[in-house]
Amino acid sequence: MSKLFSPLMAVIYEAISAILLFWHAAWHKVVGDASWLATNWSWVLGIIFLVITVRAILFPIFVKQIKSQRAMQALQPKVKALQEKHKGDRETLQQELMKLYREEKANPLMGCLPMFLQVPVFLGLFHVLRHLKPTMPEHLRTLYGWTAGQFESASHAKLFGAPIAASFRSSSHELSLLGASGTTVKIVAAILIATMIVTTYFTSRQMILKTGWAEDPQQRMVQKLMLYGVPFSLLISGYMFPIGVVIYWVTQNIFSLGQQMWVLRKFPPLTPNGTPAPQKAKADAKGAKSGAKDGSATKAVDSRALAPKVGAKPVNPKKGGAAKR
C-alpha cells in the first residue's frame, strides 16, 4: 500500500509545486522583488492564488455536494419511515436505504467528497513548505520541479517579517538560519492561527444554519465534530503548520464563506415540507398579492370607519325594531 501511495503523493507534490511556481512567476512579473511591509508578496500571492485555482477546479464538485445535501434533506421523511418499518432489522434497513438512494439518485457520501479531495492538496503544500529550509541538502532542493534559485527565494520569503516556511514551534537555530526574529514569528503565527480557527468555525456554522441540524444522530454528531471538533484540533496542531500553510487555510476559509453564500442562494435549503425556503416565501407573497387583486384575501377594516359619526341618527336595519316598553 505504501509503495502505491508514495508515487501518488509525489505526483501531488509536483502538481502543487507547479501551480505555486506558476503563480509566483506571474506575480513576480507584476511586483518584482519588492518587499512591502516586510512581505514578499509574489510568494504570498502565489499561495493565495493556489487556493483560488484549487477551488475553481473543485467548484463543480462543490455544487454537486449542495445538490446532494438537498436531495438527502428531501428524503428524510422516507428515511424515517424506513427506519420505523425496519427498526429491529439493521441489514434490511441498510438495503432499503441504498435502494432508496439509487432510485432518487442521492449520494450520502457526496457531502464529504470536496473535503476529502482538498486533504491531499493540503498535505502536498505542507510537505513542500516544510522542506523550504536553508539546511536542506543541495540534491533535495530541486525536487518537484524547483530550481535552486526558486528554493532560495521561497525559503527566505516572509509575511510581515515572519518566514512562510517557519512555524510557531520553529527553533531558534532554524529562525537564525532564516534570518527571522522568534518574537515576530510567534506573533504572526498566533494571529494567523486564531484567524484560521475562527474562519473554520464560521465556515461550518454558515452551512449548518442554512441547511439545519440533521435529525439523524450520526449525522448530527458529524456536524458537531465539524463545528467544534475541527476548530479545536487546529488550536492544538496549528503551531506545527508552516506560516505558508496557515495562509493557505485562512484563504481557503474566506473563499469558502463567499462560495457557500453564493451556492446556497442559488440552491436554497429545503423547508420541512420539501419547498426551498426563499421560493416558498416568494410563493406566499405572490399568492397574497394575487388574492388581494381578485378579492379573495381578507381586507383589514378600520373599526373607526364603521363607527357612527357624532350627532348622526342611529340606523336600525330591522324594521320591526325592539319591542316597546
Side-chain angles (χ1 to χ4, degrees):
M1 184 69 179
S2 59
K3 292 182 179 180
L4 180 64
F5 185 71
S6 296
L8 177 61
M9 291 307 298
V11 171
I12 293 174
Y13 299 152
E14 291 182 3
I16 295 301
S17 296
I19 297 173
L20 177 59
L21 293 174
F22 168 81
W23 283 115
H24 162 68
W27 281 107
H28 188 267
K29 292 180 180 179
V30 178
V31 299
D33 293 320
S35 177
W36 307 318
L37 301 174
T39 300
N40 301 100
W41 291 105
S42 59
W43 284 109
V44 173
L45 290 172
I47 295 174
I48 292 173
F49 275 78
L50 168 64
V51 177
I52 295 174
T53 302
V54 172
R55 294 310 297 255
I57 294 172
L58 295 179
F59 183 74
I61 299 175
F62 183 77
V63 173
K64 288 184 179 180
Q65 175 196 17
I66 299 297
K67 289 183 177 180
S68 178
Q69 288 176 341
R70 280 193 56 182
M72 292 296 297
Q73 193 176 2
L75 289 177
Q76 284 306 305
K78 294 182 179 180
V79 171
K80 284 184 181 180
L82 289 175
Q83 289 173 342
E84 290 295 328
K85 183 179 179 180
H86 306 287
K87 183 177 284 188
D89 192 348
R90 188 179 184 86
E91 184 177 351
T92 304
L93 174 61
Q94 291 298 325
Q95 292 175 356
E96 291 296 322
L97 286 175
M98 294 306 296
K99 181 181 177 181
L100 176 64
Y101 294 150
R102 283 196 304 269
E103 291 176 351
E104 300 294 336
K105 298 181 180 180
N107 187 356
L109 299 178
M110 181 59 71
C112 302
L113 184 59
M115 182 182 66
F116 287 139
L117 291 177
Q118 291 179 66
V119 170
V121 178
F122 171 79
L123 293 176
L125 184 64
F126 180 84
H127 176 83
V128 170
L129 293 181
R130 189 180 59 180
H131 282 69
L132 294 177
K133 298 177 181 179
T135 56
M136 189 63 60
E138 292 290 337
H139 68 282
L140 295 179
R141 297 187 177 195
T142 55
L143 288 175
Y144 317 129
W146 288 69
T147 64
Q150 290 169 335
F151 182 94
E152 184 70 19
S153 175
S155 63
H156 289 86
K158 297 178 181 178
L159 173 68
F160 304 127
I164 62 174
S167 65
F168 192 91
R169 69 167 187 169
S170 293
S171 65
S172 57
H173 176 66
E174 292 175 342
L175 294 175
S176 64
L177 292 176
L178 292 171
S181 165
T183 303
T184 301
V185 169
K186 284 180 170 53
I187 292 174
V188 173
I191 294 173
L192 285 174
I193 291 170
T195 307
M196 176 176 64
I197 293 171
V198 171
T199 52
T200 299
Y201 170 80
F202 278 106
T203 301
S204 299
R205 182 174 179 269
Q206 181 190 52
M207 183 65 73
I208 292 174
L209 289 179
K210 290 291 184 180
T211 59
W213 285 96
E215 297 185 8
D216 181 72
Q218 293 182 348
Q219 294 181 4
R220 183 180 285 260
M221 183 63 67
V222 172
Q223 287 179 320
K224 288 184 178 180
L225 178 64
M226 295 297 296
L227 184 62
Y228 303 112
V230 173
F232 180 75
S233 68
L234 294 176
L235 179 64
I236 300 172
S237 60
Y239 81 102
M240 296 187 303
F241 295 161
I243 287 175
V245 172
V246 184
I247 295 171
Y248 174 90
W249 196 303
V250 171
T251 306
Q252 177 175 267
N253 287 343
I254 295 173
F255 192 89
S256 295
L257 284 169
Q259 190 180 63
Q260 285 180 180
M261 186 179 299
W262 182 86
V263 172
L264 289 170
R265 282 183 180 179
K266 190 171 182 63
F267 304 101
L270 302 177
T271 59
N273 62 358
T275 306
Q279 294 182 11
K280 183 177 182 297
K282 290 180 181 179
D284 292 344
K286 186 177 180 180
K289 186 176 180 180
S290 61
K293 288 182 179 180
D294 60 18
S296 60
T298 304
K299 296 181 179 179
V301 181
D302 190 350
S303 60
R304 290 177 297 178
L306 299 178
K309 296 180 180 179
V310 179
K313 186 177 180 180
V315 178
N316 190 350
K318 297 182 180 180
K319 292 184 179 180
K324 296 180 180 179
R325 295 183 181 180

